[in-house]
Amino acid sequence: MSRQRSARSAALGLTVRRIPTTIPSRSSGPVRRRLVVGVLVLASLVLISLSFRSDGSGPLSGVESAGAAALRPFAVGFERVAQPFRDGYGWADSLLTARSEAEELRAEVQELRQRAIQAEFALQENVYLRRLLAYADGPRFPVDFDPVVAEVIGRPAGAFAQAIVVAAGSDSGVAVNDPVVTADGLVGVVTRVSGGTARIQLLTDEEAAASAIDLRTGATGIVRHARGTRETLVFDRVRKQDVVRRGHEIVTAGWRAGALSSLYPKGIPIGKVTSVGQTDTDLWQQVQIDPYVDFGALDAVIVLVPRERAR
Amino acid sequence: VTAAAWLRAGAAVFVAAMLQVVIVSSLVVEGGAPDLLLVVVVVLGLLRGSIPGAVLGFAGGVVVDVVTLGTLGVTSLVLTLAGFWSGRYGETTGRGRRLAPIVAVGTITLLAGAFGYLLHYLLDEEVVARHALLGALAPAFVLNLVLALPVHALLRRIVGEGEREEVAPEVEVLAG
């Protein structure tokens, strides 16, 4: 239809005519616009396709790794600048819960002091019996791993991935599937590596899971993300006849079957049981655990590099 | 768009991308975190037009995906469309409206959240819909709205407002 068209206003009975504009090339604008956005969308789709199929060794991985290496100093620099503000935010936030938390911790210290003495006796006995039996075992945490301490330099945007990026990569010996911990407990596992950085999937990610065990009763199950919440974990697949109580500690189970073994060595603390429930229709118990690690306030982590790989 | 304006806008997107990855993503309030980069791309689209919006969204997405070692192109695709759409809104119905940044940021936050969820679902990544679309998106929506006007004011000072390429046609009323 012509842009010079006239029309009659139904309400007023007046003729309305468009005045020709003086913009030089109006027809080239929409074409250029569609062309640019089309090219960018196509480029994004090509990148997604190549990146999704990449197994870490294709040409795109090299480009991505070079890009990550080039941007790493900026990420580290921004992290250093942001750190005092993050600390301030954390300090102000912790003031709200400091009093109740202190009382809980005092009670916990008393209990742990008694258990530490018992554990020391059990440890000595364990070492003696292992020596007698010449017991063959899988990798043990932390003695069979070299720790690589790494600063957290990034977190993906959005609610789609629970992950962090750390400033240590393959140059430091880090590889995919290496377990990651802090002094508090299990954090997750390395999922992607470049020369100077690594991406770590947190235990709170929907796709993460770890075989685990109740430290006091030996009940086994799988720790995974609790659906619908950000930082709660569930101890799943626990049989109804197994005993799990509120307050019990859950640690990694660290199984090994022939050449196959769990990603996580046994004995890494995961969290404490906060509630246990079961219904007649459920096959398993419903156990919720509160993780020891504060996944929202990770500043530095320890990547566990197996010593047997280093050799 | 002049080279200087491109440079300033590019620098703003780069800084926003780094801030988003390093600090803003960890500022979780009630289960959701603001998306500073999305807000910056939307505001730049409003200020400079649809083509700069799309190009800057693509560039910002690439930076985020590279720094976080994520699947390349996912964030770029979402931000390209976000920048383009906000640019078109700024060039047409949103032109001259004081609340255009609020409307654009709010609408695009919701659309980007839903589109991002769909994209991750298509890539066979396990994402819980209730958490992604309600638990995290609702607080992110509010936080992005809070950021919209200050970011708009700041970026208007830094990169300025582009001349509109498309002008609404004038009409002449003829009696009789």
Side-chain angles (χ1 to χ4, degrees), chain B residues 35-44 105 109 144 147-148 151 155:
Chain B
D35 194 337
L36 178 66
L37 180 58
L38 179 72
V39 175
V40 165
V41 166
V42 168
V43 167
L44 285 173
V105 166
T109 298
N144 285 359
L147 286 175
V151 169
L155 287 178

Side-chain angles (χ1 to χ4, degrees), chain A residues 281-304:
Chain A
T281 51
D282 280 341
L283 290 173
W284 317 101
Q285 294 189 54
Q286 296 163 342
V287 184
Q288 277 207 338
I289 59 177
D290 183 23
Y292 290 129
V293 174
D294 182 358
F295 292 96
L298 291 169
D299 295 327
V301 295
I302 303 165
V303 184
L304 300 177

Side-chain angles (χ1 to χ4, degrees), chain B residues 50-68:
Chain B
S50 55
I51 293 178
V55 172
L56 292 166
F58 179 83
V62 168
V63 169
V64 166
D65 287 337
V66 166
V67 172
T68 60

Side-chain angles (χ1 to χ4, degrees), chain A residues 75-80 82-83 86 149-156 163-168 180-182 187 197-198 200 202 294-302, chain B residues 21-23 26:
Chain A
V76 172
F78 272 84
E79 173 63 29
R80 298 268 157 84
Q83 190 59 45
R86 199 199 308 278
V149 182
E151 185 181 13
V152 177
I153 57 169
R155 293 157 188 82
I164 53 172
V165 181
V166 298
V180 181
V181 299
T182 64
V187 171
T197 57
I200 292 157
L202 301 179
D294 182 358
F295 292 96
L298 291 169
D299 295 327
V301 295
I302 303 165
Chain B
V21 168
V22 170
I23 188 164
S26 60

Side-chain angles (χ1 to χ4, degrees), chain A residues 201-215:
Chain A
Q201 182 189 55
L202 301 179
L203 198 55
T204 47
D205 190 274
E206 274 90 355
E207 294 188 340
S211 55
I213 189 167
D214 183 320
L215 193 58

